[in-house]
Amino acid sequence: TDDKGPALTALFGTRLALQDDVPLNFQFLWETEEEIGSPSFEAALTKLVRSGFRTDSVLVSDTQWSRAGRPAIPYGLRGLMGFLVRLRTGDKDVHSGTVGGGARNPLAELSALIADCVDARTGKVKIPGFYRGVRRPGPAERRRLAADGFSRREFQAAHGLLDVRFSDPRRLHEAVTVEPTFEVHGITGGYTGTGIKTIVPHQAEAKLSCRLVSDQDPEAVFTLVSRFIKKRCPDAQVFHEALLSPYLVDPSGPHMEAAQKAMRAAFGKTPCLTREGGSIGAVVTMDRLLRAPVIMLGLSLPEHGYHAINENFDWGQASQGMAMFFHYFHNLASLGGGMGRKRRTLTKTTL
Amino acid sequence: TDDKGPALTALFGTRLALQDDVPLNFQFLWETEEEIGSPSFEAALTKLVRSGFRTDSVLVSDTQWSRAGRPAIPYGLRGLMGFLVRLRTGDKDVHSGTVGGGARNPLAELSALIADCVDARTGKVKIPGFYRGVRRPGPAERRRLAADGFSRREFQAAHGLLDVRFSDPRRLHEAVTVEPTFEVHGITGGYTGTGIKTIVPHQAEAKLSCRLVSDQDPEAVFTLVSRFIKKRCPDAQVFHEALLSPYLVDPSGPHMEAAQKAMRAAFGKTPCLTREGGSIGAVVTMDRLLRAPVIMLGLSLPEHGYHAINENFDWGQASQGMAMFFHYFHNLASLGGGMGRKRRTLTKTTL
């Protein structure tokens, strides 16, 4: 992935722990295809497991905090269902003076489809059945999630947003973490140069995706969405791009406690337990194939600008982050008391 | 413009008439900016008129027939109101895992705006007041328009359309000639490469236009449309690109008769009187400034492919077209009987 800073921080934190003789075995898994939906990861890990690969726990360094100074450990991730809708109504773009009014306009039709799928102002998905299976947080979880210090002003500033859909910070925070989405990433077709060229386009494509939350199934959502689209526009083609399951676990247990203690030791603050809006397909795969606790101890901040220009990682997060990993490994080693054997830890860093 | 073939046909037809000593004066006006909305034409013509430029009639070679073998003389043109809608909601594209659900999506919002403006399947414009002032053809005119031999099958084949909005050929023909439109020419913003990149775009732009019919006023329509858009999305910016008035005259009078006779002489068939779906701003300007009859004797066919790849002009239309112009000028010279003076004709060809 693009989280090179946190990955190196985990590597150096491990080195510190080894220099301090922590009684653990480490195995690093560098997952370099996260941004294209991890197409090789599952097969590779299956092969590893078949050849005898085991671990007692997994540590992931990909996640981020809601704000600087507010350490966070996520116990949930959103899934992803990326798809393309293509509509072709002719062989070539044609003069709108000659055919305009009579020719179908694929850009106008895709716009109507998108408007049928989502309320652009609220983000509410209008496809019947889309929210089926969604586990909504209860009052206790909502209170806990609200404790992570999320601020609308800082969120807007960190991401350069002139405006957001909700002024209430709790509503906004839930919209970006525990709710599914319907997003338009790009629309191609027709004339895209300067000014206007009065043609009726012959083809258009919308690049779309839904972030999903537990327990939405990406394949079922793809079937639902593509049926909805094909019903409205039978000659539209719908292709899926990426299918990543959402992830949600109980944020308790000895590994989570070890992580919380380590974060507190390194950053001087009790971390909040959060759910993250992004997707990490590898987490879901490791959880399923390795049958070991997965702990997400990421260090990124909103102002680091994931996927944006000038993406960065700061030294404060790096230096305290190394301390955090060092503490975590020591805490892990003391788990289980007199187990008398070296525990293994799989550190999943994705470069 | 791109009608170079018909323009040269008019030039050579004039040469034939001069060689045959037709008692007319000719003045050619080559208008080379039609495709960018003729920004210089009005000022240049005004200057010419102020310096004493006059003409008794105007001949335009820009128009087209509904099908090969069915000569047509248009007496109406649609106007055009081209415009851009731009919506900016952030400084940069941002990761949809981080901000998705909370950040406004300008592509989704523009899609909703477009869907609010037009019914993409029927082309019906949904903006209240849009059809105000539209002069609908009466039963007699509709019958006359239907006589031009328009065929849905040929129309689709000529323009490479896989499908059209209406199966009834009359309905389809009226949609492309006497009805106003709302067209999407392009939508830019976000990610447009291969596959999907899960960003929330920070800006989007829709390139749009309306073809207008008499008596819609392009500036009034721009005001109406931009108010409608700003009401739904106050931070959208709306810019107009091109404003061309529609044109509609009574298809009678001695010049029109001379044109019909000439077309019949050259092509062996009585031409039908039609209304054309395209826009020629220069026609409206000449009509207003020169106060002389404007006759549109174009020769293009649908299969010539205006604005498309492999645009062409065929020799049959060219050779018979020269004969048509030759006859027209002779017919024109005999107009007014013993007026005893050389009449002037302004041949407007646009290259």
Side-chain angles (χ1 to χ4, degrees):
Chain A
T1 85
D2 31 20
D3 302 12
K4 294 169 284 294
L8 287 177
T9 306
L11 183 67
F12 286 109
T14 308
R15 189 177 164 186
L16 284 176
L18 286 171
Q19 285 171 343
D20 204 43
D21 291 326
V22 66
L24 295 176
N25 288 326
F26 293 92
Q27 296 178 88
F28 279 82
L29 216 60
W30 307 91
E31 213 282 89
T32 57
E33 296 183 329
E34 201 249 319
E35 287 304 324
I36 54 169
S38 304
S40 319
F41 187 73
E42 180 163 343
L45 190 60
T46 302
K47 208 172 152 188
L48 272 177
V49 169
R50 285 201 184 132
S51 70
F53 181 89
R54 296 288 179 275
T55 187
D56 298 306
S57 69
V58 178
L59 175 63
V60 170
S61 64
D62 262 32
T63 53
Q64 68 176 316
W65 306 357
S66 267
R67 64 190 288 191
R70 190 78 64 131
I73 304 177
Y75 59 95
L77 300 166
R78 290 197 287 194
L80 183 70
M81 193 283 282
F83 62 113
L84 299 166
V85 182
R86 191 175 297 151
L87 178 60
R88 186 178 160 85
T89 57
D91 293 335
K92 59 187 179 201
D93 294 350
V94 198
H95 193 309
S96 74
T98 314
V99 303
R104 288 173 61 189
N105 187 312
L107 280 171
E109 290 194 34
L110 283 193
S111 297
L113 270 177
I114 291 166
D116 283 345
C117 289
V118 67
D119 178 331
R121 293 314 291 260
T122 62
K124 169 117 183 151
V125 182
K126 293 153 78 177
I127 301 167
F130 179 81
Y131 290 95
R132 199 179 299 140
V134 168
R135 261 199 270 172
R136 306 214 177 255
E141 189 180 10
R142 299 180 95 161
R143 273 194 303 278
R144 189 171 63 206
L145 291 171
D148 82 341
F150 177 89
S151 136
R152 178 170 67 86
R153 201 180 52 78
E154 286 177 20
F155 173 78
Q156 284 193 222
H159 301 295
L161 303 173
L162 305 179
D163 195 10
V164 286
R165 282 180 175 148
F166 311 104
S167 56
D168 174 35
R170 285 203 186 195
R171 180 77 196 79
L172 180 64
H173 187 34
E174 291 187 4
V176 299
T177 52
V178 302
E179 289 180 17
T181 67
F182 187 102
E183 218 66 76
V184 190
H185 307 301
I187 298 177
T188 62
Y191 177 71
T192 54
T194 307
I196 282 172
K197 187 177 173 192
T198 54
I199 45 91
V200 177
H202 72 292
Q203 182 172 299
E205 185 177 279
K207 298 167 187 290
L208 305 160
S209 83
C210 296
R211 296 277 164 185
L212 305 177
V213 299
S214 291
D215 295 325
Q216 288 178 300
D217 172 50
E219 291 191 39
V221 172
F222 174 71
T223 304
L224 185 82
V225 171
S226 49
R227 275 193 196 145
F228 179 84
I229 289 169
K230 301 282 277 185
K231 201 169 167 185
R232 268 165 179 67
C233 189
D235 53 351
Q237 295 175 282
V238 189
F239 309 93
H240 65 70
E241 266 288 305
L243 297 175
L244 301 178
S245 293
Y247 177 76
L248 190 64
V249 294
D250 178 7
S252 66
H255 292 84
M256 190 59 107
E257 283 165 27
Q260 287 173 282
K261 267 174 61 185
M263 224 174 216
R264 192 162 50 236
F267 290 97
K269 277 181 189 159
T270 301
C272 46
L273 301 174
T274 60
R275 284 168 64 178
E276 177 141 330
S279 316
I280 311 176
V283 165
V284 182
T285 308
M286 290 191 293
D287 180 61
R288 185 162 42 84
L289 295 180
L290 297 175
R291 297 167 186 274
V294 180
I295 297 296
M296 295 183 269
L297 276 176
L299 294 159
S300 295
L301 301 176
E303 52 267 43
H304 293 161
Y306 271 10
H307 283 206
I309 47 168
N310 299 327
E311 187 175 348
N312 64 87
F313 187 58
D314 70 80
W315 177 243
Q317 291 299 94
S319 59
Q320 289 174 282
M322 286 180 232
M324 174 189 78
F325 287 118
F326 172 87
H327 286 293
Y328 177 66
F329 297 133
H330 272 290
N331 296 344
L332 214 56
S334 65
L335 270 188
M339 280 174 69
R341 67 172 179 91
K342 275 196 166 188
R343 301 183 65 85
R344 303 204 237 191
T345 292
L346 174 66
T347 308
K348 187 250 170 187
T349 62
T350 57
L351 275 182
Chain B
T1 85
D2 30 21
D3 303 11
K4 294 170 284 294
L8 286 177
T9 306
L11 182 67
F12 285 109
T14 307
R15 188 176 163 185
L16 284 176
L18 284 171
Q19 285 172 344
D20 204 42
D21 290 328
V22 66
L24 295 176
N25 287 326
F26 293 92
Q27 295 177 91
F28 279 81
L29 216 59
W30 307 90
E31 213 282 89
T32 57
E33 297 183 328
E34 201 250 318
E35 286 304 324
I36 53 168
S38 304
S40 319
F41 187 74
E42 180 164 344
L45 191 60
T46 302
K47 208 171 151 189
L48 272 175
V49 169
R50 284 203 184 129
S51 70
F53 182 89
R54 296 287 179 276
T55 187
D56 297 308
S57 69
V58 178
L59 176 63
V60 171
S61 63
D62 261 32
T63 53
Q64 68 178 316
W65 305 358
S66 267
R67 64 189 289 190
R70 190 77 65 131
I73 303 177
Y75 59 94
L77 300 165
R78 291 196 287 194
L80 183 71
M81 192 282 284
F83 62 113
L84 300 166
V85 181
R86 191 175 297 152
L87 178 60
R88 185 178 162 85
T89 57
D91 292 335
K92 59 188 178 199
D93 294 350
V94 198
H95 194 308
S96 74
T98 314
V99 302
R104 288 173 60 188
N105 187 312
L107 281 171
E109 290 194 33
L110 283 193
S111 297
L113 269 178
I114 291 166
D116 283 345
C117 288
V118 66
D119 178 330
R121 293 314 290 261
T122 62
K124 169 116 184 152
V125 182
K126 294 153 77 177
I127 301 167
F130 180 80
Y131 290 95
R132 198 179 299 142
V134 167
R135 260 198 272 172
R136 306 213 177 258
E141 188 179 10
R142 299 179 95 161
R143 273 194 302 277
R144 188 171 62 204
L145 292 171
D148 82 341
F150 177 89
S151 135
R152 178 170 67 84
R153 202 181 53 77
E154 288 177 19
F155 173 78
Q156 284 193 220
H159 300 296
L161 304 173
L162 305 179
D163 196 11
V164 286
R165 283 181 175 146
F166 311 103
S167 57
D168 174 36
R170 286 203 186 195
R171 180 77 196 78
L172 181 64
H173 187 35
E174 291 187 5
V176 299
T177 52
V178 302
E179 288 180 18
T181 68
F182 187 103
E183 218 65 75
V184 190
H185 307 301
I187 298 177
T188 62
Y191 176 70
T192 54
T194 307
I196 282 172
K197 186 178 174 192
T198 55
I199 45 91
V200 177
H202 73 290
Q203 181 173 299
E205 185 178 279
K207 298 167 187 290
L208 306 160
S209 83
C210 296
R211 295 276 164 185
L212 306 177
V213 299
S214 290
D215 295 325
Q216 289 178 299
D217 172 52
E219 290 191 40
V221 171
F222 174 72
T223 304
L224 185 81
V225 171
S226 49
R227 273 193 196 145
F228 180 85
I229 288 169
K230 300 282 277 184
K231 201 169 168 185
R232 268 164 179 67
C233 188
D235 53 351
Q237 294 175 283
V238 190
F239 308 94
H240 65 70
E241 265 288 306
L243 297 175
L244 301 178
S245 293
Y247 177 76
L248 190 64
V249 294
D250 179 8
S252 67
H255 292 83
M256 189 60 106
E257 283 164 27
Q260 286 173 283
K261 268 174 64 185
M263 225 176 215
R264 192 161 50 235
F267 290 96
K269 276 181 191 160
T270 302
C272 46
L273 301 175
T274 60
R275 284 168 66 177
E276 177 141 332
S279 316
I280 311 175
V283 165
V284 182
T285 308
M286 289 190 294
D287 180 62
R288 185 163 41 85
L289 295 181
L290 297 174
R291 298 166 186 275
V294 180
I295 297 297
M296 294 182 269
L297 276 177
L299 294 159
S300 295
L301 301 175
E303 53 267 43
H304 293 160
Y306 272 10
H307 283 206
I309 48 168
N310 299 326
E311 187 175 347
N312 64 88
F313 187 58
D314 69 80
W315 176 244
Q317 292 298 95
S319 59
Q320 288 174 282
M322 285 181 234
M324 174 189 77
F325 287 119
F326 172 85
H327 285 295
Y328 177 66
F329 296 134
H330 273 290
N331 296 344
L332 214 55
S334 66
L335 269 189
M339 280 174 70
R341 68 173 177 91
K342 274 197 169 187
R343 300 183 65 85
R344 303 204 237 190
T345 292
L346 174 66
T347 309
K348 187 248 169 189
T349 62
T350 57
L351 275 180

